[in-house]
Amino acid sequence: MNTRIKHLFSFLILGCACSLFSQEIEGDWYGKLEQIQLNVVFHIDKHNNEYQATLDSPDQGSFGITVDTVRFNDSKIEIIMTKLNATYVATFNNDVFSGTFSQNGFKMPLRLSRDKTEVKEAKKYQEPNRPFPYLEEEVTFKNGEVILSGTFTKPASNKKHPVVILINGSGPQDRDEAMMGHKPFLVLSDFLTRKGIAVLRYDDRGFGKSTGNFSKATSEDFATDVETAVNYLNARVDIDKKHIGLIGHSEGGLIAPMVAANNQNIDFIVLMAGTGIPGDSLLLLQQQLVGKAMGMHGAQLQTLKKLNQKSFDIINEYEDKSAIEFELSRYLKSAIDTIPIENLPAGVINDDTFISTQVNLLTSPWMRNFLSYDPATALERVRCPVLALNGNNDLQVPAKENLSAIETALNKGGNKNIMIKEFSGLNHMFQESETGSPAEYGSIEQTISPIVLEEIYKWISEQIN
């Protein structure tokens, strides 16, 4: 078995070293992703000689996240979290795990020990405190067998108010879109509700208090959840049904046009860092920009791009999953040994493990759908007013390429009521930032730039008055 240094090319770059196994690993393991200041806890159990685990992200208020696979052999552990597009690979020595946590192309060293870490709540200055000067209601609505749980807020008056639905970005998110110690949808919801606009936000299916299976869902499935949210609002008697809008962030900005293109009940949509170019092109661009910001050098970036491009082409070429798995596995086996070792970041991983992990991640329902989807297909059919916003420090959904594509598609479809705006110095989270690197998100005290909040409210006011 060839165990030379490998490049886990698509989203994960894994590192581990070898040592002799001498202890069992059941129990709770605590660590911190220093680059993004995020505490994590793995809970590992053993049943019928097989390891199982869950993950907590206490800083984000997320607990019991599913771990799909735990492999432990010869002092090496591999943890795969398909739902998060993440893995953790490490070695076990002296009751400590030392290795690399990888997610969406970003690699971060992670040391786990049994020493419990005290997590201090990262209070951000924009987060509102109860009691609120408006009404807040816990609500549920159904999409088939899926029960979606959320929060509905509205001004404390008998007037029927316009309302917006907030649509989360990619990955399992709660109703506040909590990430990196921030709660951007809580801040946005509070701001708009204080200004006289009702807001519905909800936990993604299979996450938080919502039921369903997130890992098997695609963007189209999430679009049907938004449709159900629209139907729920239309059944209420306390909103202005002529003014129902959608605000989507990141993947939510891809989903909002899907819904608006087919639903005449949508009065307007706001795209916050929404995508305008096809998924495969977006991921290639994103991985280059973020990889560079995270310290990858030119040769590594070129290797990453070449391997990803070919893999994406295979995924888009075949419809049958088994055919994709076969062709992708064959390509990876042929490609691994052709990569110059100096072009690869440090790491050692078994060939078969590398290939199977990559194939599983790249052939998930969400990934296959995202790679082949062109947002222009929906944008060209959107007839309601559209506000598209982004920051020029966004490395995940680069502003220039995506705002231009959004504007082109809307114009092609004949939409006459559009506003495209790029903000200087703002990152993917719409924070005032230095570099735009995801590593900065958690260290920035600001959750959303006040300029963006005011811009969204001003534009919505113009549409409803």
Side-chain angles (χ1 to χ4, degrees), residues 425-455:
L426 301 190
N427 61 20
H428 185 63
M429 301 296 294
F430 291 89
Q431 301 166 307
E432 297 167 18
S433 62
E434 293 294 327
T435 69
S437 170
E440 289 183 334
Y441 298 167
S443 62
I444 298 173
E445 291 186 1
Q446 184 182 78
T447 298
I448 303 178
S449 167
I451 296 174
V452 174
L453 295 173
E454 289 289 351
E455 186 69 36

Side-chain angles (χ1 to χ4, degrees), residues 398-435:
K400 180 180 178 181
E401 293 82 357
N402 286 279
L403 288 179
S404 176
I406 289 171
E407 184 173 22
T408 297
L410 290 170
N411 284 330
K412 183 178 180 180
N415 194 322
K416 302 298 184 182
N417 192 343
I418 62 176
M419 178 177 285
I420 309 292
K421 191 153 189 177
E422 181 178 335
F423 295 90
S424 177
L426 301 190
N427 61 20
H428 185 63
M429 301 296 294
F430 291 89
Q431 301 166 307
E432 297 167 18
S433 62
E434 293 294 327
T435 69

Side-chain angles (χ1 to χ4, degrees), residues 127-311:
E127 286 187 19
N129 295 310
R130 290 182 174 85
F132 299 140
Y134 50 79
L135 302 177
E136 183 182 33
E137 180 184 352
E138 185 84 7
V139 300
T140 60
F141 47 96
K142 294 186 67 175
N143 181 6
E145 297 300 316
V146 176
I147 300 175
L148 297 158
S149 179
T151 301
F152 177 74
T153 57
K154 68 172 184 175
S157 72
N158 293 326
K159 178 182 175 182
K160 292 185 178 182
H161 295 275
V163 60
V164 296
I165 300 169
L166 305 188
I167 311 171
N168 286 326
S170 60
Q173 301 284 343
D174 67 14
R175 66 195 70 187
D176 295 329
E177 205 188 28
M179 63 180 75
M180 307 300 183
H182 290 277
K183 297 179 179 179
F185 275 7
L186 173 60
V187 172
L188 178 57
S189 173
D190 177 77
F191 180 84
L192 292 177
T193 309
R194 290 172 187 263
K195 293 283 192 178
I197 300 171
V199 178
L200 173 63
R201 65 191 198 276
Y202 57 92
D203 301 331
D204 286 337
R205 61 165 65 194
F207 197 74
K209 295 181 179 180
S210 294
T211 68
N213 190 327
F214 183 93
S215 64
K216 292 184 178 180
T218 67
S219 299
E220 273 92 356
D221 295 316
F222 300 135
T224 67
D225 292 340
V226 178
E227 288 275 6
T228 305
V230 175
N231 294 338
Y232 165 77
L233 290 176
N234 271 314
R236 294 185 68 110
V237 297
D238 55 353
I239 66 162
D240 179 358
K241 298 176 185 179
K242 292 182 180 180
H243 297 304
I244 298 176
L246 308 177
I247 302 179
H249 176 231
S250 195
E251 185 190 2
L254 175 148
I255 293 169
M258 289 183 181
V259 178
N262 297 310
N263 193 322
Q264 294 183 353
N265 289 316
I266 304 304
D267 187 47
F268 58 87
I269 60 175
V270 179
L271 314 181
M272 300 178 67
T275 65
I277 61 178
D280 54 354
S281 298
L282 177 68
L283 288 187
L284 288 172
L285 182 59
Q286 177 189 108
Q287 289 161 358
Q288 294 294 297
L289 293 173
V290 175
K292 184 178 181 179
M294 300 293 279
M296 294 179 69
H297 58 70
Q300 290 173 330
L301 291 171
Q302 287 304 309
T303 297
L304 180 70
K305 183 177 181 180
K306 179 181 177 181
L307 289 169
N308 279 330
Q309 181 68 75
K310 177 61 177 178
S311 297

Side-chain angles (χ1 to χ4, degrees), residues 317-336:
E317 181 179 355
Y318 298 91
E319 293 186 7
D320 182 68
K321 183 180 179 182
S322 61
I324 295 174
E325 292 172 339
F326 175 80
E327 294 295 335
L328 195 56
S329 297
R330 184 168 66 173
Y331 168 66
L332 295 180
K333 288 179 181 179
S334 67
I336 286 175

